[in-house]
Amino acid sequence: AQKITQTQPGMFVQEKEAVTLDCTYDTSDPSYGLFWYKQPSSGEMIFLIYQGSYDQQNATEGRYSLNFQKARKSANLVISASQLGDSAMYFCAMREGWRGNYQLIWGAGTKLIIKP
Amino acid sequence: DGGITQSPKYLFRKEGQNVTLSCEQNLNHDAMYWYRQDPGQGLRLIYYSQIVNDFQKGDIAEGYSVSREKKESFPLTVTSAQKNPTAFYLCASSISQQGRDTEAFFGQGTRLTVV
């Protein structure tokens, strides 16, 4: 079974609109961490936001926020006021249990294209 | 500027050859990793190292080898035993803190093609 599922292979969004990228996860461990990374066409992965399983509040970082619904096992990334530079691949990843963040489990990604 | 440098950006290998991908970081990070990325898939961990002179296999280590002789450097060798080496390879590093998640910093990747 997939541990991290990103159901949207691709999305088109109008510039300045908000966009939600879906991520659901599967773990029975009470301790886990969820990461979102952005991969522009240049190839490097850029860290965006992190949510720990014990965090009481949803994480926010500038225009990025994480809609963390623990009971539903979802950790959707919300980008407010999208910009042309947001066009990229977006990956959700999970650190499960006490394996350490070097053993992240990655989703297949969502390709986001922002239209002018 | 601090960061991770991978070289070369593009690499072509003939069947049966070993090739080495370079990864250097000047972030003073203890932990370094190698990932493989194939189209339509998430990253898969090849090897990781938490300290100098020590490294562990990830999920897909077969056909690969690494060394960690210096804190700054973590080269990956793709051997002839790797059956399907054509892929995009990403190197990353992070602070290593027990019991605390930390984000990884990535290089710009090396695209390896077998010809």
Side-chain angles (χ1 to χ4, degrees):
Chain A
Q2 292 288 335
K3 290 274 190 175
I4 294 284
T5 303
Q6 294 182 254
T7 57
Q8 306 148 311
M11 287 184 71
F12 286 91
V13 172
Q14 200 68 39
E15 188 181 7
K16 298 179 185 173
E17 289 183 352
V19 56
T20 298
L21 304 180
D22 295 340
C23 173
T24 57
Y25 58 92
D26 181 23
T27 182
S28 57
D29 202 298
S31 173
Y32 53 90
L34 296 157
F35 299 77
W36 276 93
Y37 283 84
K38 171 184 178 181
Q39 186 179 39
S41 57
S42 53
E44 80 277 22
M45 289 283 189
I46 302 167
F47 168 74
L48 296 178
I49 197 166
Y50 166 80
Q51 181 86 40
S53 59
Y54 295 119
D55 293 342
Q56 296 296 315
Q57 294 188 327
N58 287 349
T60 59
E61 290 283 350
R63 292 188 299 114
Y64 304 108
S65 61
L66 206 151
N67 184 1
F68 182 45
Q69 298 189 38
K70 199 168 181 177
R72 294 186 179 184
K73 294 188 177 179
S74 75
N76 298 339
L77 176 70
V78 180
I79 306 174
S80 63
S82 58
Q83 302 171 356
L84 296 178
D86 294 332
S87 295
M89 286 290 294
Y90 288 80
F91 291 91
C92 179
M94 176 174 66
R95 185 273 304 162
E96 183 179 37
W98 300 109
R99 299 176 72 189
N101 65 346
Y102 36 82
Q103 295 194 43
L104 293 180
I105 303 163
W106 294 75
T110 295
K111 184 168 186 175
L112 176 64
I113 297 175
I114 307 298
K115 299 183 293 182
Chain B
D1 288 338
I4 299 180
T5 303
Q6 288 187 244
S7 62
K9 191 170 183 177
Y10 299 96
L11 186 57
F12 297 89
R13 190 194 94 170
K14 291 183 179 180
E15 295 275 358
Q17 278 185 338
N18 292 355
V19 291
T20 298
L21 283 58
S22 171
C23 177
E24 303 277 333
Q25 56 101 356
N26 60 3
L27 299 168
N28 199 33
H29 287 167
D30 289 310
M32 296 188 74
Y33 329 92
W34 274 104
Y35 288 96
R36 171 178 171 142
Q37 185 177 25
D38 293 285
Q41 298 187 34
L43 274 64
R44 291 183 291 167
L45 184 65
I46 304 172
Y47 269 98
Y48 64 94
S49 168
Q50 292 177 270
I51 55 172
V52 174
N53 293 323
D54 187 52
F55 48 83
Q56 282 78 41
K57 293 181 179 180
D59 299 321
I60 55 165
E62 185 175 350
Y64 300 98
S65 66
V66 293
S67 63
R68 187 85 186 276
E69 296 176 3
K70 298 186 300 182
K71 187 175 185 177
E72 303 79 19
S73 179
F74 192 41
L76 173 74
T77 297
V78 184
T79 74
S80 56
Q82 169 51 235
K83 296 288 187 282
N84 184 21
T86 294
F88 188 57
Y89 291 87
L90 282 161
C91 179
S93 71
S94 72
I95 297 168
S96 183
Q97 287 191 353
Q98 191 71 20
R100 180 174 178 269
D101 286 323
T102 58
E103 74 268 27
F105 294 79
F106 284 80
Q108 294 208 334
T110 294
R111 190 166 299 280
L112 174 63
T113 304
V114 174
V115 296

